Amino acid sequence: MVANERGQLLLIGGIAVAIVVFSTILFAHSLAVTDGITTTGSADTIERSADREASVERDLGRLAAETRGDDLDGFEERYENALRNYTETHNRVVGGSSGVYLNAKLNESASLGTEVNQTNPPAQFKKPTGGGGAEWTLAENTTQVAVFKIAFIDLNGPGNRPTTISVENATSEWTMALDRASPGSSKKQVQVNGGDVTGCSGAASRSVNITLYLHNGTCLTDSTSVTFVPFTDQLKGPYNITIKKGSKSIVQYRVAAIGTFPRSNYASPVARVNYPVIPAVDTTYDTPAASYNRTVLVEVDDG
């Protein structure tokens, strides 16, 4: 009696297991048919697509770095031309072998960043509107600076009160002072964090311009190039950029950054325009199976 009951239980259990296994096979087969992502082939295709898109985005970043450099003028046109050349080369080399064709175009309206400049004519480094004052804000809540260029043209006014550019976050401050080498001197002095920039300070007369790239730590005087510690090495954003005692120096300046540039501080002849610090690029991929579009923000690869 007990043996018969045990046999019946084993039979019922076996049938139940068979139903579960068979149902699982059918369900798995249903997933493979209705959702290609579960199949090995489709997973490989998706992985290849992700790798391809990551490679293209790295290339777009390198193109942006090479076409921009420290020169803001005409960057958009140069980058657009580079994107056209890259698209043609990609399609000739990659498209012909894989059947995947690319079209990449700059989307200026979706790009991130602002440019301000005072380049013509040179002017006192002070707030362009509202009477100047001893201190004014160039940019607030700045997270990324593509270019920060200053041409130190001349010294203005008596005394020895330096123009100071302050870049400050919540915990630290970086400063650059534009000054006279000594009271009454005609030679220019550049100090970073209170120390002279050797080869840049005290060696240039008023008639020699000093070009400073604050974002990458380069000082150019005639044919001489020296380096200093840039604020981008010392500080993490967001930070504010403030000008103090700006009326003591005659400068030209250009800044391209992601941040807030107070509108009241910029009026003619100071230009304040959109600038693709982080370019947005519309990418279209045509594959044998489908065509799809993506707009990607391209982090410029300066490495």
Side-chain angles (χ1 to χ4, degrees), residues 126-140:
K126 66 179 184 179
K127 182 177 178 179
T129 61
E135 182 175 319
W136 60 282
T137 299
L138 181 70
E140 298 173 318

Side-chain angles (χ1 to χ4, degrees), residues 261-285:
F261 292 79
R263 289 186 178 275
S264 62
N265 288 358
Y266 302 98
S268 181
V270 179
R272 179 186 181 279
V273 296
N274 293 335
Y275 180 86
V277 175
I278 298 181
V281 178
D282 294 331
T283 55
T284 301
Y285 293 92

Side-chain angles (χ1 to χ4, degrees), residues 200-248:
C200 186
S201 293
S205 69
R206 294 174 65 134
S207 61
V208 176
N209 292 351
I210 297 176
T211 303
L212 302 159
Y213 292 94
L214 278 66
H215 64 293
N216 65 18
T218 304
C219 170
L220 302 177
T221 303
D222 292 337
S223 59
T224 302
S225 175
V226 298
T227 61
F228 54 86
V229 177
F231 66 86
T232 49
D233 283 1
Q234 183 175 320
L235 303 178
K236 291 184 178 180
Y239 34 72
N240 296 336
I241 304 173
T242 304
I243 312 303
K244 303 175 182 180
K245 313 295 184 186
S247 60
K248 298 301 178 183

Side-chain angles (χ1 to χ4, degrees), residues 72 74 87 138 159 162 247 280 301:
L72 302 187
T87 293
L138 181 70
S247 60
D301 181 5

Side-chain angles (χ1 to χ4, degrees), residues 134-219:
E135 182 175 319
W136 60 282
T137 299
L138 181 70
E140 298 173 318
N141 296 320
T142 309
T143 56
Q144 185 170 334
V145 177
V147 178
F148 194 161
K149 176 182 177 181
I150 292 177
F152 185 9
I153 307 297
D154 204 352
L155 302 160
N156 183 59
N160 194 33
R161 300 175 65 193
T163 294
T164 301
I165 301 118
S166 170
V167 183
E168 187 174 12
N169 64 14
T171 59
S172 302
E173 182 181 23
W174 178 98
T175 62
M176 171 177 279
L178 310 179
D179 200 1
R180 302 173 186 273
S182 60
S185 172
S186 65
K187 295 202 173 178
K188 301 168 187 172
Q189 180 183 50
V190 178
Q191 291 186 323
V192 171
N193 293 330
D196 287 353
V197 178
T198 303
C200 186
S201 293
S205 69
R206 294 174 65 134
S207 61
V208 176
N209 292 351
I210 297 176
T211 303
L212 302 159
Y213 292 94
L214 278 66
H215 64 293
N216 65 18
T218 304
C219 170

